[in-house]
Amino acid sequence: LTEKKDEEAEEPKKTSEKKEEEKNEEKQEEQINEQEKEDEPKKEEQTTGEKLLNSCVDVFVVYDPPVVYSRYADEVLRNVIKSLRERTEILKEKSIDPYATSPEITPPVTPILRKEDYIRQKEEEHIAKEEEDRKKAEEAARKAEEKKKKDEEKRLEAEKKAEEERLAEEARRKAKILPDISCSCFDVLFHPVEEKMDTVLGSTIDPFTDRRYISWLTVVAVAYNYNVWFCPARLAFPYHNDTVNPFWILLDVLSDVVNVIDIIVWQPRLQFVKAGDIIKDRALTKVHYRKSYRFKTDMLSIIPFDLLSLHFGFSSIYRFNRFIRIDSFFEFSDRLESIMAKAYIWRVARTTGYLLYMLHLNACAYYVASVHQGLASTTWVYDGKGTAYLRCYYFAVRSLINIGGLPEPVTLFEITFQMTNFFVGVFVFSSLIGQMRDVIGAATAAQAYFRASMDGCVEYMNTYTIPKLVQNRVRTWYNYTWASQGMLDETELLDKMPLVMRIAIAVDINLATFQKIQLFQGCDQQMLVDMLLRLKSIIYLPGDFVVRKGDIGKEMYIIKSGAVQVVGGPDNSIVFVTLKAGCVFGEISLLQSAKDGGNRRTANVRAYGFANLFVLEKKDLFDILVHYPESQKVLAKKGRQLVKAKAAAGAPTKDEKPKGLTLFGQKPPTPKLLKAFGNLRKAGLLDKLKVRSS
């Protein structure tokens, strides 16, 4: 209380002192102003030197304490004092907050975290940022995919519309040339035959995969080639007489019967695609064939102009309308290529057939020209000796291929004919030989690429003087890879196929093996399919180490063919187990963390012979698991279980402590002398001695 009273008494004193100081300052300022006014007229009369001297005197003149020496100096000092006080306050705040590092506005005090908490916080922030970036990327990719899909749909719709308009225009144009043919009377006539064939062939036939249809096309192609090859020969050469004509008539009838059966029985049953749907209705397939351009040409090709031979004489010229069915031959060629394992063989044979057919036509033309000029009339024409067709064919070969050594043409007709032969030979045979070269080049393109790759690798190894042992192993890998799969990289072929086809192939090869893996049991089937698409095929040579003990595990392996061995010992001579096709190893390392070396390989795995393995990398698995959170939980749980089971199996067993009498070890054997006394006691000998002595 006394202290409070003293403070209350001192307060009025302080206020009075402040007032007196303010009054003194005001008086000093008034005195300074008056003095400046008095000095102004005097300063005007002073020289420049006196002005400088007076200014210096004003600065150094010592006034009484209440008097200000200089207003400028007073202001400067006051500003300095003010800034020093502000700095003092800032330094006080800085001493309180150790995180403040500059004289600027001090940031708020941040809490101090432990190192583990700080690392965890940073990891969470990093993961959150990555997740946000991933979502943004997925959203952008989804929008781009949707835009691309919409553009693709628009493009396909426009193409479809344009194709429909083109087909409609083509149909209208063809309708003007070949009007629709009504076959109602033929339908009634052949209805029993169609019903009978339904029980044998079925209501409809797939023209691309049904082998029966491809076999039938072979018969149709033979009939077509009969007409194409023999009609010109029969027309040019004297092959018609009373003895041979019945055989020609029989063959002609057989070829016509084949064509009629094809038009009535097979073609109306062929399935077709309309707006993406496979039409399998018999009535619709028949209507589709009847309205097609091919039906009209087929009907023209079987018109029996041969009946004119009854009035004008027997000739093969009336069968030239059979040539119109050339679409049947090209269809047979396409279907045969689709089912052949080595289609280039048929392409080479077909091109060779084109070449022989051109020679065949030229031989027929040469014989007709010789007859027109007169046989043996000049040295250039056919002389009528030997077999006419063979002699004329020989002339055609030498003429069209420009071999030379031909007789000189004499007449203008002969010269014109020979010049035409040369021009036709140059253009036709050059195109056919070029086509043959393309066919053979396409057939051997893969092997040429293999040879070029191998030669380039060998040249590289020779340039850098790679040891011969390594070079031999590289050559062995190239040769075995080419011999086993016919290509160096399977992905080059699979990448060209649509996704559905790649999935079908991958599922057929490896899905059953994946489903047997204990780690993946219970996971989403679609996730397994996605994993199958990420597999990569690798071939290991005999003795190659697939994995080594202590390596970082980043992949799992599926044995496609061959075998591998788990080996150990000082020189890896001990074989623990042999894994064959269909087995899996290294799957646990996919889910183990690299922290504390958890994903290190625990054994050596070596290829036993040539081994073809499928490899799945950890990065690919994690990319897939992002889209399957439930499967990710299942894999994490099973991975922990497998790791614990593996650790328990590999842990050393503790020796049990001996208990009871085992502490003293095995009992030593009884001495023989003691054994003898023991036996005597058991027999009662000592008792008998006691009785006698008594």
Side-chain angles (χ1 to χ4, degrees), residues 313-367:
F314 187 71
S315 176
S316 63
I317 194 173
Y318 305 119
R319 298 187 57 83
F320 272 61
N321 62 326
R322 307 305 192 269
F323 291 12
I324 301 175
R325 292 208 73 196
I326 191 172
D327 290 341
S328 61
F329 175 76
F330 288 128
E331 184 182 6
F332 161 73
S333 178
D334 295 339
R335 300 292 181 270
L336 185 62
E337 286 184 9
S338 65
I339 65 172
M340 290 184 67
K342 297 181 178 180
Y344 67 89
I345 296 176
W346 165 247
R347 297 190 191 107
V348 172
R350 183 183 60 194
T351 306
T352 304
Y354 294 158
L355 176 63
L356 297 177
Y357 185 70
M358 294 302 298
L359 295 172
H360 170 74
L361 293 180
N362 190 261
C364 296
Y366 175 67
Y367 184 81

Side-chain angles (χ1 to χ4, degrees), residues 388-404:
Y389 181 77
L390 290 178
R391 294 293 182 93
C392 293
Y393 200 90
Y394 175 73
F395 173 85
V397 171
R398 298 185 64 180
S399 177
L400 288 184
I401 303 180
N402 297 322
I403 296 177

Side-chain angles (χ1 to χ4, degrees), residues 505-653:
I505 294 174
V507 167
D508 184 67
I509 296 175
N510 292 317
L511 182 60
T513 303
F514 257 74
Q515 291 174 342
K516 294 178 183 178
I517 302 174
Q518 184 180 1
L519 181 63
F520 299 131
Q521 290 178 358
C523 295
D524 193 334
Q525 293 295 316
Q526 185 60 38
M527 188 200 76
L528 298 182
V529 173
D530 291 343
M531 292 171 61
L532 294 177
L533 297 176
R534 302 294 184 95
L535 295 178
K536 299 177 183 177
S537 178
I538 299 178
I539 293 177
Y540 290 89
L541 301 182
D544 283 349
F545 279 91
V546 181
V547 297
R548 291 182 179 273
K549 186 176 181 180
D551 290 346
I552 301 296
K554 299 179 182 178
E555 308 92 0
M556 66 166 288
Y557 298 89
I558 303 173
I559 303 176
K560 178 182 178 183
S561 62
V564 298
Q565 293 178 337
V566 181
V567 297
D571 55 351
N572 295 318
S573 59
I574 303 174
V575 178
F576 297 110
V577 66
T578 300
L579 305 177
K580 297 185 178 180
C583 294
V584 180
F585 61 93
E587 69 275 13
I588 299 179
S589 64
L590 292 180
L591 300 177
Q592 287 181 321
S593 174
K595 186 178 180 181
D596 301 329
N599 62 341
R600 295 278 183 176
R601 302 292 188 184
T602 58
N604 295 322
V605 180
R606 184 175 59 192
Y608 181 70
F610 292 96
N612 193 348
L613 307 181
F614 283 119
V615 181
L616 177 64
E617 296 182 355
K618 181 184 292 187
K619 178 180 177 298
D620 295 333
L621 176 62
F622 286 170
D623 292 342
I624 294 171
L625 289 178
V626 172
H627 306 285
Y628 302 95
E630 296 298 328
S631 298
Q632 186 175 7
K633 295 177 183 178
V634 173
L635 285 178
K637 183 178 179 181
K638 287 192 174 184
R640 288 192 296 268
Q641 293 176 356
L642 292 175
V643 170
K644 289 180 181 178
K646 184 178 179 181
T653 57

Side-chain angles (χ1 to χ4, degrees), residues 44 53 89 98 102 108 111 130 165 217 244 271 278 281 297 308 358 396 418 438 588 661 694:
E44 293 177 358
L53 180 60
E89 295 296 330
S102 65
E130 286 185 348
E165 292 177 354
L217 283 178
V244 182
Q271 301 172 5
I278 301 176
D281 189 358
T297 56
L308 297 175
M358 294 302 298
Q418 190 61 43
D438 295 339
I588 299 179
L661 296 176
S694 59

Side-chain angles (χ1 to χ4, degrees), residues 157-313:
E157 187 177 355
E159 290 181 355
K160 183 179 178 181
K161 187 176 180 180
E163 183 68 16
E164 290 177 355
E165 292 177 354
R166 186 187 66 80
L167 292 175
E169 181 65 25
E170 186 177 355
R172 287 193 296 269
R173 181 174 54 81
K174 291 178 179 178
K176 294 179 181 179
I177 301 173
L178 297 174
D180 293 338
I181 301 174
S182 178
C183 302
S184 57
C185 58
F186 294 102
D187 290 340
V188 175
L189 181 63
F190 293 108
H191 183 68
V193 178
E194 292 179 353
E195 289 184 348
K196 184 67 176 177
M197 295 305 297
D198 286 343
T199 59
V200 179
L201 301 177
S203 59
T204 57
I205 298 172
D206 185 359
F208 296 98
T209 59
D210 197 328
R211 295 297 181 93
R212 297 175 300 174
Y213 179 66
I214 298 175
S215 301
W216 171 252
L217 283 178
T218 305
V219 179
V220 175
V222 171
Y224 177 78
N225 278 277
Y226 162 76
N227 291 312
V228 167
W229 283 79
F230 283 95
C231 286
R234 289 163 54 186
L235 183 64
F237 293 93
Y239 288 154
H240 287 170
N241 52 56
D242 296 337
T243 305
V244 182
N245 285 347
F247 296 100
W248 290 124
I249 294 173
L250 177 62
L251 294 175
D252 292 345
V253 170
L254 289 177
S255 65
D256 292 343
V257 168
V258 170
N259 291 331
V260 170
I261 293 175
D262 183 57
I263 294 171
I264 295 175
V265 177
W266 291 88
Q267 295 300 325
R269 300 174 188 272
L270 298 182
Q271 301 172 5
F272 67 96
V273 179
K274 183 178 181 181
D277 296 331
I278 301 176
I279 306 301
K280 298 182 180 180
D281 189 358
R282 169 68 180 283
L284 296 177
T285 56
K286 182 186 290 187
V287 172
H288 178 263
Y289 173 63
R290 295 283 174 82
K291 291 183 177 180
S292 64
Y293 178 76
R294 182 173 179 177
F295 173 71
K296 299 171 184 178
T297 56
D298 290 345
M299 294 301 294
L300 287 176
S301 66
I302 61 172
I303 295 176
F305 291 111
D306 306 62
L307 299 177
L308 297 175
S309 300
L310 299 176
H311 184 271
F312 297 102

Side-chain angles (χ1 to χ4, degrees), residues 461-522:
M461 291 187 295
N462 290 331
T463 302
Y464 290 93
T465 62
I466 305 298
K468 291 296 182 181
L469 179 62
V470 178
Q471 293 191 23
N472 292 334
R473 291 183 66 81
V474 171
R475 289 191 181 94
T476 303
W477 181 86
Y478 268 100
N479 292 325
Y480 177 78
T481 302
W482 175 257
S484 61
Q485 59 190 25
M487 61 187 68
L488 296 179
D489 190 3
E490 293 179 347
T491 56
E492 294 181 0
L493 176 63
L494 296 176
D495 289 342
K496 299 177 182 178
M497 302 176 66
L499 180 61
V500 177
M501 298 293 102
R502 295 204 305 270
I503 291 175
I505 294 174
V507 167
D508 184 67
I509 296 175
N510 292 317
L511 182 60
T513 303
F514 257 74
Q515 291 174 342
K516 294 178 183 178
I517 302 174
Q518 184 180 1
L519 181 63
F520 299 131
Q521 290 178 358

